[in-house]
Amino acid sequence: MDIATTPTNPEGNPELADAAPTPHAPPIILRENYRPFGWLVPEVKLDFDLGITRTRVRSELTVQRNAKAERTDTIRLNGDGLKPISVHVDGAAADWHMDGADLIVPLREDAHLVAIETEIDPAANTQLMGLYASGGMLCTQCEAEGFRRITFFPDRPDVLSVYTVRMTGEKARFPILLCNGNRVAEGENGDGTHWAEWHDPWPKPSYLFALVAGDLVANSKPFTTRSGRAVECNIWVRREDLERTDHALESLHRAMQWDEETFGREYDLDLYNIVAVSDFNMGAMENKGLNVFNTKYVLADPDTATDADFDAVEGVIAHEYFHNWSGNRVTCRDWFQLSLKEGFTVLRDQLFSQDMRGEAVKRIEDVRILRAAQFPEDAGPLAHPIRPDSYREISNFYTATVYNKGAEVIRMMRQLAGVERFRQGTDLYFERHDGEAATCEDFVKAIEDGAGLDLTAFRRWYSQAGTPRVSVAQEVEGETLKLTLRQTVPATPGQSDKLPMPIPLRIAVHSRGGTLGEERLVVLEQAEQSFDLPLAGPDPVISINRGFTAPVIIERELAREDLVFLAAHDDDPFARSEALQELAVGHLVGAASGSLSAEERAAGEAAIIGAFRSSLADNALDEAMRGELLVLPSETYLFEAMATGERKADPGAIHAAREGLKAAIGKALAGELAGLHARASTVAHDDPEGRGARKVKTIALGLIAAADPAKAAALAAAQYDAADNMTDRQGALMVLCGLECPERAARLTAFHQRYADNALVVDKWFSLQALSLHPDVIAQVRALAEHPDFTLRNPNRVRALYMAFAGNPQGFHDASGEGYRMIADLILALDPINPQTAARFVPSLGRWRRIEPARAALMKGELERIMAAGNLSRDTFEQVSRSLEG
């Protein structure tokens, strides 16, 4: 029976609860309907006869009845686009039948051996899920439900198996054969083919299966674990990319050592392989012992990668390595528990990067990403808890909420417990659930027991969507300040009434006279609570949510002079940056909404310019932190700040106000910014000082460009021509892309000619133009879509052009609606080729309810046009329908 038309559930899979869906709607999967699978599959043997256009797959599944599940006399093996060539049970031909895409096999006894043979065409797999061809090699991506595109299998994360895999292929085409675990045997067949056999002793779900076959070379360096065992570490790439892999390998070693020291986790196989592929839907995949990576997060050298690229490589390498324990050794029971592995691992990679690069700037960067990606998600039609209750297509829940907010929720537990007790909790979690498919509740319970906390109310963070808002009121009473906090959690789709959630906040009460107060932690547990805090002196100024201890929006009426004081003097780096952001947000939202008088606008500009001047003159700041204090709030963040209550956001007004403020800053601080650019240009070494200098150099150039385009064009051209690294070269080209000047075309041509053979750098070439402030950006993007280097078949290239454009407020929100139409056209063209990538463009159109009426109607119209097209993938259908209904 097809799950789309019947509510029966013979194998215990989560499924539609109330009624069959409409003819065009995929079924809704509910978390509450989870049931254990009826059969255990303790052992799997796979035999691959590899070919680019024809791969034969033979599987042997050892199956046993699951005593914890309802008895069933059939086994449902998931498939997607497969046809069985043969099916045998215990050596005899089976009486099987198909139910939609799934294979149903009768099983009468308590244990059986099920053998299945299938054939697939990797070259035709444009979805890049399952086994597919990329640049002459074969590779896999199985999370979340890609393994069912390789062979029939109970493709769900709670079925854990030990895998033995044999691969055979042409030696000339596939000299390297890689799989999960350890290589146990290899040989040649005498007919030009060779084979390799791999065994992974650790039980894993099918989504962690990986296979790679191709003409690759490795950068290798062993790592010795704390117990003295040698691990062979390899970064596999095309031969021409080998020289750009040193940073990735060094990052892996640092991550392995850090995880031993910080979380007590040691690697557990003899091999750790990473393979870089050009065609990949995600950033990377943590397959046990064989990580498959997007080349973007492996290849880096100073000529082709920016400082930010180096940081991204280090962070993603670490993230996937950390999954070896938080995701592989302990995996998730079902996909509703995705944040169990992803939220925890994001926190681990954030803490690692803080230790590698410095906590202050890293924390500011992480919060900026959260606010740009997750806060809008929480405020829109696609809002969902970090542990969702339902989905139509699980690929749509690889979201900023599950990853980034999930990390913030676990960070709050760490804040409440303290570092040492939190470690006790994570040790207990790994001890209890090693080798299991666990739940978010299992994790919370382990932290609760290990750290000695009561997290009863805290569990609401897992079940309630929306970003809490905390309003602040204060009153001086003698020698104390009475601080009253009130929290509200806005209504979200399907959740109109919310309960208060425990919100930990680090707070200090400073005196504007210059005395800084002592920091303390308070926990807002009720809808409203008051706290008595000691004064540090007269004229108290509250520094709240220091270090961003909670993912909330703080609402307070703070005098402009108090924000200026905090921006200049707060001893918490995040709070200092936040004060400047708050100062700019208040001014820009007021300017965009037309609520400021001319005098108020002038006073606001003067205060912000003064704060910037103080940051430029503060010799105690390192350049990286100085750069953070010279960054204005993004237009996306201003959109969210403006779209509150009944007020709608006006992207055009926001853009004009922000560009106007940039011009005012650039004009008022022209000398200081030119001096900063000149000073930073003399620092060339590759250390924290050099990285900071390169950062502020481009920030200064952008502010100069807003006030004096001709001067900026000359400076940017000179910076481009003198650059000996990609950070300076890209920063200069970014500024030039937004200007109408002769220098622009000449440098764009030179950049493309220099890097024409480097796909990742050509991606930058596309993105810089799509993100630019140039008045003709829409026409330029349309022209780029016709460029010979552009293709819809490569996700990196699609994202480089169109995701960049969707993130360009000036072009995307053009009043004509042309930007919206362009993205809708892309979604319709891309959905039949790669639905997972296509669906990720829908949220940019889904914010229509929070925008001014004229643009809202245009955005909604494009969503309706997509829906009316019909034959949408599950991925895109869910995103579009929720965006229209939410």
Side-chain angles (χ1 to χ4, degrees):
M1 297 283 184
D2 192 338
I3 195 171
T5 59
T6 176
T8 59
N9 187 15
E11 293 300 326
N13 289 319
E15 60 168 291
L16 181 66
D18 298 322
T22 63
H24 301 292
I28 298 173
I29 312 299
L30 297 179
R31 179 171 59 87
E32 65 183 20
N33 281 5
Y34 169 82
R35 300 293 184 275
F37 190 63
W39 296 88
L40 305 176
V41 189
E43 293 184 29
V44 175
K45 292 183 179 179
L46 299 173
D47 190 340
F48 289 86
D49 186 359
L50 298 170
I52 292 290
T53 59
R54 176 185 174 277
T55 290
R56 186 68 62 98
V57 185
R58 302 171 185 86
S59 62
E60 288 188 2
L61 317 181
T62 301
V63 301
Q64 303 169 357
R65 290 196 186 277
N66 185 354
K68 297 180 180 179
E70 292 184 13
R71 182 182 175 89
T72 175
D73 289 332
T74 62
I75 187 169
R76 176 181 291 270
L77 301 174
N78 305 121
D80 183 356
L82 299 177
K83 291 182 179 179
I85 295 173
S86 66
V87 181
H88 290 78
V89 175
D90 300 327
D95 183 22
W96 56 271
H97 69 276
M98 298 296 292
D99 181 10
D102 294 346
L103 176 68
I104 309 299
V105 182
L107 298 177
R108 307 301 180 191
E109 306 301 328
D110 291 341
H112 295 277
L113 182 67
V114 180
I116 305 168
E117 186 171 350
T118 58
E119 189 173 287
I120 53 180
D121 180 357
N125 185 355
T126 63
Q127 294 185 32
L128 310 184
M129 290 292 290
L131 179 67
Y132 64 93
S134 174
M137 61 190 288
L138 293 176
C139 56
T140 57
Q141 169 58 28
C142 292
E143 187 174 359
E145 295 177 339
F147 192 73
R148 65 186 64 189
R149 295 174 60 81
I150 298 173
T151 188
F152 292 100
F153 196 79
D155 193 14
R156 42 188 286 167
D158 60 345
V159 176
L160 308 182
S161 311
V162 172
Y163 283 70
T164 301
V165 180
R166 182 184 176 96
M167 296 174 285
T168 302
E170 296 177 46
K171 188 172 183 179
R173 182 186 288 271
F174 308 121
I176 301 298
L177 302 173
L178 303 173
C179 198
N180 306 94
N182 297 316
R183 184 174 51 241
V184 295
E186 59 185 332
E188 299 191 16
N189 295 318
D191 60 354
T193 67
H194 69 141
W195 60 271
E197 187 169 306
W198 292 74
H199 178 71
D200 185 356
W202 301 102
K204 65 174 178 285
S206 55
Y207 81 84
L208 289 174
F209 172 79
L211 174 158
V212 174
D215 187 1
L216 302 167
V217 295
N219 189 351
S220 304
K221 183 180 179 181
F223 176 83
T224 303
T225 69
R226 61 180 179 176
S227 65
R229 188 165 51 83
V231 177
E232 181 184 331
C233 298
N234 302 304
I235 310 290
W236 295 92
V237 294
R238 298 177 304 172
R239 187 172 302 277
E240 59 267 31
D241 293 330
L242 186 63
E243 63 184 10
R244 293 190 285 152
T245 59
D246 286 346
H247 178 64
L249 187 56
E250 292 164 3
S251 298
L252 175 61
H253 278 227
R254 286 193 292 270
M256 296 174 84
Q257 181 176 347
W258 183 91
D259 208 21
E260 289 184 350
E261 295 171 351
T262 308
F263 281 92
R265 301 297 107 193
E266 183 176 333
Y267 188 61
D268 51 8
L269 289 169
D270 300 331
L271 281 171
Y272 193 93
N273 287 318
I274 291 174
V275 179
V277 300
S278 300
D279 302 293
F280 204 69
N281 284 335
M282 301 291 192
M285 181 60 209
E286 70 267 19
N287 316 298
K288 183 74 176 179
L290 177 56
N291 291 181
V292 179
F293 268 64
N294 191 319
T295 50
K296 178 180 175 67
Y297 296 108
V298 171
L299 306 180
D301 65 13
D303 184 58
T304 61
T306 65
D307 293 335
D309 293 330
F310 274 86
D311 292 343
V313 168
E314 182 179 65
V316 177
I317 290 279
H319 180 96
E320 304 309 327
Y321 173 74
F322 298 152
H323 266 314
N324 185 61
W325 278 91
S326 52
N328 297 1
R329 287 285 289 264
V330 184
T331 191
C332 49
R333 185 195 72 180
D334 54 69
W335 291 120
F336 297 102
Q337 319 298 328
L338 183 59
S339 195
L340 171 75
K341 71 183 187 78
E342 295 301 346
F344 187 24
T345 305
V346 168
L347 174 64
R348 276 151 55 74
D349 81 55
Q350 288 176 349
L351 296 174
F352 166 77
S353 294
Q354 287 178 191
D355 287 349
M356 297 300 107
R357 298 193 281 115
E359 180 177 359
V361 171
K362 173 61 177 169
R363 188 64 184 135
I364 293 169
E365 292 172 351
D366 289 339
V367 174
R368 183 180 295 123
I369 292 169
L370 184 80
R371 286 172 167 167
Q374 196 280 320
F375 277 22
E377 197 168 83
D378 245 352
L382 303 177
H384 55 276
I386 63 172
R387 183 186 57 202
D389 294 318
S390 67
Y391 63 81
R392 293 185 189 274
E393 170 51 56
I394 184 54
S395 295
N396 288 333
F397 278 102
Y398 287 74
T399 62
T401 296
V402 166
Y403 279 64
N404 301 76
K405 185 176 180 179
E408 295 298 325
V409 169
I410 298 173
R411 186 186 288 265
M412 284 190 288
M413 283 191 264
R414 185 172 182 263
Q415 181 70 57
L416 292 168
V419 174
E420 291 185 6
R421 289 197 298 159
F422 180 76
R423 166 66 188 275
Q424 292 171 8
T426 59
D427 284 351
L428 183 60
Y429 168 68
F430 290 126
E431 179 184 332
R432 282 180 176 175
H433 301 291
D434 187 12
E436 294 181 0
T439 65
C440 293
E441 172 57 27
D442 292 330
F443 181 84
V444 176
K445 181 61 176 171
I447 301 300
E448 193 171 47
D449 293 346
L453 297 173
D454 181 357
L455 297 174
T456 302
F458 190 87
R459 287 169 169 83
R460 294 169 190 165
W461 281 99
Y462 281 87
S463 60
Q464 294 187 164
T467 304
R469 294 177 174 269
V470 177
S471 64
V472 181
Q474 64 186 64
E475 183 180 355
V476 175
E477 297 179 348
E479 297 298 315
T480 64
L481 182 141
K482 183 178 181 180
L483 182 69
T484 300
L485 304 176
R486 299 179 182 87
Q487 65 163 296
T488 57
V489 187
T492 52
Q495 293 185 341
S496 56
D497 299 318
K498 308 291 180 70
L499 294 171
M501 299 194 288
I503 299 174
L505 297 166
R506 281 166 35 202
I507 293 175
V509 182
H510 302 319
S511 167
R512 208 185 311 144
T515 304
L516 301 182
E518 182 180 343
E519 181 181 275
R520 63 192 60 222
L521 180 70
V522 304
V523 182
L524 174 60
E525 298 177 298
Q526 307 301 323
E528 179 176 328
Q529 269 178 273
S530 295
F531 304 89
D532 291 331
L533 306 173
L535 294 174
D539 301 321
V541 182
I542 294 287
S543 174
I544 189 169
N545 205 18
R546 294 157 63 84
F548 201 74
T549 43
V552 301
I553 295 171
I554 300 294
E555 299 178 326
R556 59 176 176 174
E557 298 279 341
L558 205 60
R560 188 180 291 127
E561 56 267 29
D562 288 342
L563 290 172
V564 171
F565 169 82
L566 291 172
H569 301 294
D570 204 319
D571 57 343
D572 178 80
F574 176 82
R576 184 173 180 180
S577 170
E578 184 71 356
L580 200 148
Q581 294 290 299
E582 196 172 340
L583 183 67
V585 167
H587 172 78
L588 288 169
V589 170
S593 60
S595 62
L596 298 182
S597 67
E599 293 79 8
E600 289 172 325
R601 188 162 187 152
E605 282 188 359
I608 294 166
I609 290 168
F612 270 53
R613 180 175 282 116
S614 295
S615 298
L616 287 166
D618 190 343
N619 293 326
L621 289 172
D622 62 56
E623 299 291 33
M625 186 63 197
R626 191 188 318 280
E628 293 300 331
L629 295 174
L630 297 176
V631 174
L632 288 172
S634 70
E635 291 184 39
T636 300
Y637 187 44
L638 292 168
F639 183 110
E640 296 303 313
M642 189 175 186
T644 56
E646 297 300 317
R647 184 172 62 190
K648 304 297 184 181
D650 184 337
I654 289 171
H655 179 74
R658 189 174 185 272
E659 288 303 303
L661 179 58
K662 283 172 58 180
I665 294 169
K667 181 178 180 181
L669 302 178
E672 292 96 323
L673 291 169
L676 175 63
H677 185 270
R679 184 178 77 242
S681 297
T682 66
V683 181
H685 39 276
D686 188 22
D687 60 11
E689 182 184 1
R691 290 165 56 92
R694 289 189 287 274
K695 178 177 181 177
V696 295
K697 189 191 309 185
T698 295
I699 291 172
L701 198 56
L703 291 169
I704 293 169
D708 190 341
K711 179 178 181 179
L715 286 173
Q719 178 175 313
Y720 181 95
D721 294 343
D724 62 357
N725 62 85
M726 180 55 74
T727 304
D728 283 347
R729 189 172 292 115
Q730 178 176 303
L733 192 58
M734 177 190 69
V735 171
L736 286 171
C737 278
L739 302 176
E740 187 63 74
C741 60
E743 295 90 341
R744 177 185 189 275
R747 281 15 178 237
L748 277 171
T749 299
F751 189 87
H752 187 271
Q753 289 177 345
R754 176 173 180 147
Y755 296 109
D757 295 329
N758 187 312
L760 293 178
V761 184
V762 172
D763 287 341
K764 293 178 183 293
W765 183 78
F766 278 96
S767 289
L768 287 168
Q769 295 175 78
L771 278 167
S772 82
L773 295 173
H774 198 282
D776 294 329
V777 65
I778 293 176
Q780 290 168 1
V781 170
R782 288 207 177 277
L784 287 168
E786 300 300 322
H787 192 278
D789 287 344
F790 184 76
T791 174
L792 288 178
R793 301 279 171 166
N794 179 266
N796 280 357
R797 190 58 47 84
V798 172
R799 288 187 289 258
L801 180 61
Y802 284 108
M803 196 63 80
F805 176 75
N808 181 339
Q810 177 192 10
F812 179 66
H813 289 295
D814 186 85
S816 68
E818 186 67 15
Y820 308 146
R821 189 158 45 253
M822 188 186 301
I823 295 301
D825 288 343
L826 168 73
I827 292 168
L828 289 169
L830 187 58
D831 192 51
I833 300 170
N834 189 329
Q836 190 175 121
T837 301
R840 294 190 177 275
F841 286 88
V842 176
S844 59
L845 294 168
R847 300 165 71 194
W848 62 272
R849 281 185 178 80
R850 309 190 70 220
I851 205 167
E852 53 85 14
R855 286 182 174 88
L858 294 169
M859 295 172 82
K860 183 182 180 184
E862 294 303 328
L863 288 169
E864 291 171 337
R865 179 164 70 92
I866 296 169
M867 183 61 79
N871 297 318
L872 297 176
S873 67
R874 288 188 307 173
D875 310 64
T876 299
F877 179 93
E878 179 175 35
Q879 294 274 12
V880 175
S881 61
R882 290 183 64 194
S883 295
L884 287 169
E885 298 166 2

